[in-house]
Amino acid sequence: MPSYKAPLEDVGFLLNEVFQFDRCNNLHGFSNASIDVREAILGQAAKLSEQVLQPLNRVGDLEGCKRNDDGSVTTPTGFKAAYKQVADGGWLGLSAPTEFGGQGLPVTLSQIVAEFQVSANMALSSYGSLTMAATAALVVHGRPEQKAMFLPKMVSGEWTGTMNLTEPHCGTDLGLLRTKAVPQGDGSYKISGTKIFITAGEHDLADNIIHLVLARIEGAPAGIKGVSLFVVPKVMVNDDGSLGERNGVLCGSIEHKMGIHGNATCVMNYDGATGWLIGEENKGMQVMFVMMNEARLGVAVQGLAQSEVAYQNAAAYAKTRLQGRSLTGPKSPEKPADPIMVHPDVRRTLLTIRAFNEAARAVVVWTALKSDVAHRSDNPKERQAADDHLGLMTPVLKGVLTESGFANAVLAQQIFGGHGYIAEWGMEQFVRDARIAMIYEGANGIQALDLVRRKLPRDGGRAAMAFFGEVAAFAKEHDADEAMTPYVAPLSNALGHLEQATTWLMNNAMAEPDNAGAGATDYMQLFGLTAFAYMWAKMAKVAQDNIASSGATPYLTAKLVTGRFFMERMLPETALHLARIQTGADTTMELRAEAF
């Protein structure tokens, strides 16, 4: 059976040493998250994830969710009690505003807790993560009466939330949606239509489910410019906050899917359901993007989380599985064979996963801190710079972390040989669960195109130029430090490749947009590798300084070696991505459709 331990030491290193969390105490909520408070919170989050959520991961996979004849859904054994512990512990409201019952703590802590919970049980954690995303949209765009009615109980976890976008005939192109909203004259609307792939659309974990639904008001313009967003509760809420009659929304079926069986992915039928407009008419996508950006960062964390738990189990297996002898002679002569950890290819595989995990975690923390600055700083310039960073990095994080997270789950499965293909070891579940993260909340190809076509040129390329400048400044600052050469020289080389790719796209994608489409995924991966390299260089510098001042520890020594492995064995892929980008779209687009 698989196991999981939250990476508390690595998280502490990032928060306290690399990013110096306490320097942000001028931001709202940070002064309430001192190092002692942080350690207590994250320690409890680790216990909850390891002892309550993780043991139910395989249970949820085996049992799945059951739709009953009345349209209700029963979640797997133990899920309801575990969710109650999550809600009662205040984990869903950790960073929610205090005026709605939240604790107002930094989003950075919520993202770290999310990694722990997803590693432990991706299916169960999704019920809460969609609620937090829906909460974020209502906080920003909800009307006062909507906030008062829904937010306190969503923040407490008494009620959960969803996002309803996709329809049977349209996914990414939401301008094609057909769900309609008919004004009722009293400020409400009647919502009718069918939504599919709705995560946590129906379940037995909470008394009410607050659906955020994209629909088109009668007479609205065609396309995406005529889409509005509505809040539609599963059960109507009386003026005193008590629950009233059932609304006209029902789970038509549960999707039979590859993974995350413990999460109810539903077809939702809206039959004259009562809903209320969020924000302005025909501006639904602006509101939904708040929720989608929250969700995309959450999905990026899912990629990291599945990679982390898969790595932990593969590394533990490699230390105990006896198979063959070391190429340099027996390392355990008293045993019939050596542990497979002695084999270079096994170590290559494990280091590949580990080097990704530690860099990805650093990028997540870095970006989460930017999110806190964007929403909590009193300095307009700081807020703008942080918001620029979020806009640029969100598609990179979603695309790269989920792509590599799935690939790493497969690599970890390979360590087990035939046992990795057998369900009882848990590795094949990690592979199946990780796969969806590449698809939902905007498939990765769409993320790459969004990065190249929208995020790069926005505001004259201001966000990208800021990123390039920050990385270049770091490299220049440490260029003369001989101990940093193994990290800084490859970082500078990767940055050069990224800048070359950016220039090529600027010169070749305006006149021929297919060049952007053909190179988008490679550009996203190139960007991600460069960001990882920057994180590794920053971590290496802190590790070296700590060793110089306090002496080496196993953790710090391993950090430096893993960073060198990334620079030597993984970062050279930036040259490959650059070469692919510069080939353009000619060959990609040459064949007629009939030839496929």
Side-chain angles (χ1 to χ4, degrees):
M1 291 289 289
S3 61
Y4 171 67
K5 292 290 291 183
L8 289 171
E9 185 174 23
D10 202 45
V11 166
F13 176 72
L14 292 172
L15 289 178
N16 304 328
E17 305 286 343
V18 177
F19 297 108
Q20 300 181 2
F21 187 92
D22 291 333
R23 292 175 62 183
C24 297
N25 277 349
N26 61 308
L27 301 179
H28 177 70
F30 273 71
S31 61
N32 297 326
S34 65
I35 185 169
D36 291 341
V37 171
R38 294 196 301 272
E39 288 180 353
I41 289 172
L42 296 178
Q44 289 302 311
K47 282 185 180 180
L48 177 67
S49 299
E50 295 163 4
Q51 299 174 13
V52 177
L53 306 185
Q54 193 278 332
L56 294 172
N57 196 40
R58 180 156 166 74
V59 174
D61 189 56
L62 290 174
E63 290 188 15
C65 295
K66 177 187 176 183
R67 181 188 180 278
N68 304 305
D69 291 341
D70 61 356
S72 65
V73 170
T74 303
T75 54
T77 302
F79 269 43
K80 190 171 185 177
Y83 174 81
K84 189 174 189 304
Q85 288 194 52
V86 173
D88 290 350
W91 297 107
L92 299 181
L94 192 65
S95 58
T98 54
E99 58 262 41
F100 304 117
Q103 299 174 54
L105 292 171
V107 168
T108 304
L109 295 183
S110 292
Q111 293 289 4
I112 294 168
V113 170
E115 184 199 331
F116 296 174
Q117 293 187 354
V118 175
S119 284
N121 194 321
M122 183 169 166
L124 179 51
S125 70
S126 294
Y127 292 96
S129 64
L130 264 295
T131 302
M132 289 187 284
T135 297
L138 283 170
V139 166
V140 176
H141 291 286
R143 304 176 193 276
E145 64 273 17
Q146 294 169 349
K147 294 179 181 182
M149 178 176 289
F150 300 118
L151 284 177
K153 291 193 175 181
M154 293 174 71
V155 167
S156 71
E158 293 177 70
W159 299 347
T160 62
T162 71
M163 55 192 300
N164 285 235
L165 287 75
T166 307
E167 299 184 6
H169 60 283
C170 71
T172 302
D173 190 356
L174 292 169
L176 299 176
L177 67 81
R178 296 171 184 161
T179 299
K180 66 178 181 178
V182 180
Q184 297 301 293
D186 61 355
S188 69
Y189 293 76
K190 291 297 184 183
I191 312 295
S192 299
T194 297
K195 299 288 186 177
I196 63 171
F197 305 156
I198 307 306
T199 300
E202 176 62 39
H203 54 78
D204 58 357
L205 305 184
D207 294 332
N208 205 359
I209 303 173
I210 311 305
H211 301 289
L212 269 59
V213 185
L214 282 180
R216 191 182 306 280
I217 298 173
E218 284 189 324
I224 202 68
K225 294 182 179 180
V227 173
S228 301
L229 185 66
F230 300 86
V231 57
V232 185
K234 167 186 169 179
V235 181
M236 299 295 288
V237 182
N238 297 320
D239 291 340
D240 63 358
S242 64
L243 294 180
E245 297 180 354
R246 178 68 188 257
N247 205 355
V249 53
L250 192 70
C251 171
S253 63
I254 297 177
E255 306 286 3
H256 298 279
K257 53 191 187 293
M258 179 177 176
I260 54 169
H261 294 154
N263 192 276
T265 304
C266 302
V267 174
M268 302 300 297
N269 296 322
Y270 291 84
D271 185 11
T274 300
W276 292 268
L277 182 69
I278 302 175
E280 300 178 37
E281 288 188 11
N282 307 327
K283 303 290 185 182
M285 288 308 299
Q286 294 179 14
V287 183
M288 185 59 80
F289 268 122
V290 174
M291 190 172 183
M292 290 174 68
N293 285 334
E294 291 273 340
R296 283 170 178 170
L297 288 174
V299 172
V301 171
Q302 289 181 345
L304 162 62
Q306 291 302 102
S307 180
E308 173 65 29
V309 69
Y311 164 80
Q312 289 187 17
N313 285 274
Y317 185 81
K319 294 174 186 176
T320 59
R321 173 66 170 174
L322 303 181
Q323 199 78 49
R325 289 296 188 185
S326 167
L327 296 175
T328 57
K331 297 299 183 286
S332 301
E334 76 285 1
K335 297 179 181 179
D338 289 330
I340 62 172
M341 185 64 84
V342 304
H343 302 308
D345 195 61
V346 170
R347 286 170 168 259
R348 174 195 63 80
T349 301
L350 291 173
L351 276 168
T352 297
I353 306 172
R354 177 171 177 160
F356 163 83
N357 291 347
E358 295 182 16
R361 183 173 298 115
V363 173
V364 166
V365 172
W366 182 38
T367 303
L369 283 167
K370 295 289 188 182
S371 178
D372 279 316
V373 172
H375 293 100
R376 299 170 187 242
S377 175
D378 294 326
N379 186 316
K381 289 185 177 179
E382 285 184 356
R383 290 200 307 272
Q384 182 187 75
D387 194 60
D388 285 349
H389 175 97
L390 284 170
L392 181 68
M393 293 303 296
T394 294
V396 175
L397 284 172
K398 198 282 182 185
V400 176
L401 267 61
T402 61
E403 200 93 15
S404 295
F406 172 72
N408 289 342
V410 174
L411 286 174
Q413 181 188 35
Q414 187 75 11
I415 295 292
F416 285 72
H419 293 294
Y421 203 67
I422 304 302
E424 67 182 273
W425 289 89
M427 303 306 290
E428 57 86 35
Q429 183 186 346
F430 298 146
V431 171
R432 289 185 288 105
D433 286 355
R435 185 63 182 88
I436 184 56
M438 299 165 64
I439 299 172
Y440 58 16
E441 306 308 338
N444 286 354
I446 299 297
Q447 301 300 321
L449 198 59
D450 176 54
L451 172 65
V452 170
R453 295 284 290 170
R454 295 181 64 242
K455 300 303 173 59
L456 272 183
R458 177 177 289 176
D459 300 313
R462 185 176 65 203
M465 293 304 105
F467 175 84
F468 298 161
E470 180 175 343
V471 176
F474 179 92
K476 183 177 180 180
E477 180 183 357
H478 301 289
D479 186 56
D481 185 345
E482 186 175 347
M484 284 293 290
T485 299
Y487 308 95
V488 170
L491 171 62
S492 296
N493 192 48
L495 178 61
H497 290 158
L498 181 59
E499 290 175 327
Q500 290 178 61
T502 304
T503 300
W504 191 93
L505 287 171
M506 289 173 58
N507 293 336
N508 293 277
M510 292 295 290
E512 182 47 69
D514 280 342
N515 283 329
T521 291
D522 280 293
Y523 185 85
M524 180 178 70
Q525 294 292 337
L526 172 51
F527 208 116
L529 284 168
T530 306
F532 290 168
Y534 179 41
M535 294 295 99
W536 269 118
K538 287 177 71 71
M539 290 188 288
K541 177 58 180 172
V542 174
Q544 289 177 354
D545 289 348
N546 287 355
I547 289 172
S549 63
S550 305
T553 65
Y555 172 82
L556 293 174
T557 300
K559 181 67 73 174
L560 291 174
V561 173
T562 307
R564 291 205 316 273
F565 177 89
F566 176 86
M567 296 297 187
E568 294 171 4
R569 299 296 298 265
M570 298 171 68
L571 192 57
E573 291 180 10
T574 58
L576 172 63
H577 292 300
L578 174 61
R580 287 174 173 167
I581 292 166
Q582 292 176 334
T583 64
D586 290 349
T587 306
T588 302
M589 303 304 295
E590 185 174 343
L591 289 179
R592 294 169 60 88
E594 293 79 8
F596 285 88

